[in-house]
Each structure stands twice: as C-alpha cells, then as structure tokens.
Amino acid sequence: AAGLTIKSFRNLMQVDPGFDTKGVLTFRTSPPSATYPDADAVLNFYRNLGDEVRRLPGVQAAGFGRLLPLASEMGDAGIMIETHPVPAGQPGNQADWQAVSPGYFEAMRIKLIDGRFTDATDTRAGLQTIVINQTLAKEYFPGENPIGQRVRVGGREAPWRVVVGIVGDYHHNGLTNAYKRAFFVPMEQWANAYGVPRRALTMVIRTAGDPNDLIGPVRAVAHRLAPEVPLTQVTTMNGVLGAATQEQRFTVALMAGFALLALVLAAVGIYGVISYSVAQRTKEIGIRLALGADIDSVRYLVMRQGMAPAGIGVAVGLAAALLFTRYLGSLLYGVAPVDAFTFAAIPVLLLAVAAASVLLPAVRASRVEPVEALRGE
C-alpha cells in the first residue's frame, strides 16, 4: 500500500498543471462598494494597483484573475456561438468563466496557442473581445479557426465578442481532473457582459527571485494606494500547489510511516529471534564444526532458519495486499491498485531486509570456536 501511494504521488507531482508555479506571489483583494461604487471606480483601483506593483524591483509580470487555479472551484456559464446556434430544446453551450487583466497569462506563464492575450486595448469602450482555451476551441469549433469568430456571454442582451486568442489548457479544479472548456473575458469589459463590475480578484505576480521577498513591498504599495482595502490569502503558487496536494501528501506520509515502522519492527524481530536461536544452539553448532561441517553450511543452516518464515510472511502479505489495495483506488493516480512493478519490488525489498537481519547472526554462528563451545561438556 505504501509503495502504491508513493508511486501515485510521484505521478501526481509530474502532472503539468498548465502554468508555472515557481516564482509567483498571489493575493486576493476586493474594493468595497461604499468607496468604489461603480465599475469605473473599481477598474481605476485595479489599474493603479497593477501599475504600482509592476514598478517594484524584480517584478517580471503581474495581472488579475477572477479565481486562482488549484485554490478554488470554478463552475460553468453559458456561451453562445454565432455560427453554431443551439437548436431550441437542446442544452446550451457551457464553459468555465474567468475575468482576467493584461499580464495575467504572462504572470502565470499560460501558453499562447494562437492569436493574442488580453492587452491594454481591451477597454470598456473598445472592441469587445474574448480569449478561449484549447478544449473549448476543439469542442465548439471543430475543424475551424475560432480566431475572429463571435461569441456571446452573459445573456442575450450582452454584446457579441470577437475571439482574439486561444490559450493552452490548464488544471483549475485539481490536478487529477480533466481539462474543461474555459473562456476569459477582459477585466475591463466584465461589466459590459454581466452588468456589474468584478470586485473580488486575485493578483498574480511573477518575480525573478523569491516571491516571499515581495510580500512587504506589495503590502506597502497597497496600503499607500488604498489603506481601507485589505490584502487576503497572501501566498505563493508553490504554496497553493502544496495545499492542493495536501491530502495526497498526508496519505503518503501515513502509509510510508506505518510501512517503515513495520519494516523496522520486522528487521529487529528477525534479528533478535535468530540471534537468540544461535545463542541457544552454540553447542550444536560447535559439534557440527568439530565433526567437519564447513563454515558455509553453518551459515546456510542459520539463513534457512530465518528466511523460511520470512518467505512465508511475504507470501501471506502479498495475498493480503491483493485484497486490501483494491480499496485504495480512489486515493491513487496513474497507478493500478494491483501494480505489477510495486508487487514485485516490495517483496524483494522485504526479503532483502530479512536477509540482512539474518546475515549477522549467521556470520556470528560460523565463527564459533568448537573447543570453546564444547568446553562445558
């Protein structure tokens, strides 16, 4: 079980989330409606905060997003495609929805597949645009180029939007979940689509150094611009990744801890029993040596005595593991509950530990001096 969970965790940590977690600081903030009553005030707050943060030494890119990947669950919203209307009575098109500012994709290092990212030209009064991910492009525009086509989000009264970019897929609702369709509305144009400004946003800041070094300067900038607006959930993307895999880490630690304890107890137990047996049979071993038995035969005798029950124990353990590990399926990723490599490697490890535990008493037995062993007879 420990071998399976360790291999599962290794597979999980090798999953490409679709963005780069290294060197990224993140925090969440929300300007209150009392002091920021409308969309223009909210957008002005985020523009000023973003501009000031980007001026900080070491900042390579920074932007805002509605929800942070791996730190939140994102649901579906309707999306209408001008060239592919949904027939009456059929379920409408659905996709995850995000609001993003210029710099968000660059800070997260999400890949650009075609077209462009959201940029400063995507203003409230400008061309209404949208960015989609690969999965949405493949499923809703099969065999077509989505760039330049028009979609609508936010209801039938919302404006048509031109697809200006396609970005790579990334995992949002957990590393083990499949990619989902997603679209990204420019933050400046959010109110045009949904009627209200997007107040609560998460900022992501990419730095060349340790992102923790930016916490103080970023807090100072935010306090200087708007002391009444707090920064919350201040953490790094590596911290977010760690929290997202916390359950798997706990399972691995628990299983590995019990497995190591069992291995140590087995090794100490085998060593103790065989050492005691050798001490009890000292005279017998001395007689064997006096009658001409060679050292190798004595060592084999002791090794056989210790390894026979160890082999039986491994066989029983394998049978029990075949039954028990079937219940681990929901905790495993990328590995079957009955994994051939694990079920072959672990018995070899156990037998090797047993052999090492028996070897020292066997060597000690082969060094018994016949005269000393028989002196009392």
Side-chain angles (χ1 to χ4, degrees), residues 139-175:
E139 294 187 17
Y140 288 163
F141 297 93
E144 304 175 46
N145 182 7
I147 301 297
Q149 298 208 42
R150 299 204 307 172
V151 301
R152 174 182 281 158
V153 297
R156 295 187 178 277
E157 302 302 320
W160 286 103
R161 298 182 168 275
V162 177
V163 178
V164 295
I166 304 173
V167 297
D169 292 326
Y170 66 84
H171 292 282
H172 189 103
N173 297 345
L175 288 175

Side-chain angles (χ1 to χ4, degrees), residues 10 13 25 43 75 163 165 194 205 207 216 226 233 256 311 320 334 343:
R10 185 194 65 184
M13 296 312 295
L25 177 70
L43 291 175
V163 178
Y194 292 95
I205 309 165
T207 176
Q233 302 175 31
F343 271 75

Side-chain angles (χ1 to χ4, degrees), residues 26-33 35-36 42 45-50 53 63-68 187 197-205 218-219 221-223 225-235:
T26 173
F27 65 85
R28 194 160 179 81
T29 188
S30 179
S33 57
T35 49
Y36 300 88
V42 172
F45 165 79
Y46 281 117
R47 283 193 212 104
N48 292 337
L49 180 57
V53 168
F64 296 94
R66 169 179 163 256
L67 293 174
L68 190 65
M187 183 183 71
R198 188 67 213 177
R199 291 189 178 277
L201 293 175
T202 296
M203 189 175 200
V204 288
I205 309 165
V218 167
R219 286 191 181 277
V221 165
H223 186 267
L225 290 176
E228 76 283 5
V229 183
L231 305 186
T232 61
Q233 302 175 31
V234 181
T235 185

Side-chain angles (χ1 to χ4, degrees), residues 16 20 91 99 101 125 151 171 219 232 239-240 281 284-285 303 333 347:
D16 180 8
D20 186 3
S101 75
V151 301
H171 292 282
R219 286 191 181 277
T232 61
V240 171
R281 299 175 66 182
E284 175 199 336
I285 294 171
M303 291 290 292
Y333 177 78

Side-chain angles (χ1 to χ4, degrees), residues 128-140:
Q128 302 298 289
T129 62
I130 196 169
V131 174
I132 62 176
N133 72 344
Q134 280 179 290
T135 296
L136 191 151
K138 291 176 182 177
E139 294 187 17
Y140 288 163

Side-chain angles (χ1 to χ4, degrees), residues 49-64:
L49 180 57
D51 291 342
E52 290 295 323
V53 168
R54 293 185 190 97
R55 294 191 185 100
L56 291 174
V59 173
Q60 297 176 325
F64 296 94

Side-chain angles (χ1 to χ4, degrees), residues 258-270 353 357:
F258 279 122
L260 181 60
L261 178 61
L263 196 63
V264 170
L265 288 175
V268 172
I270 293 172
V353 170
S357 303

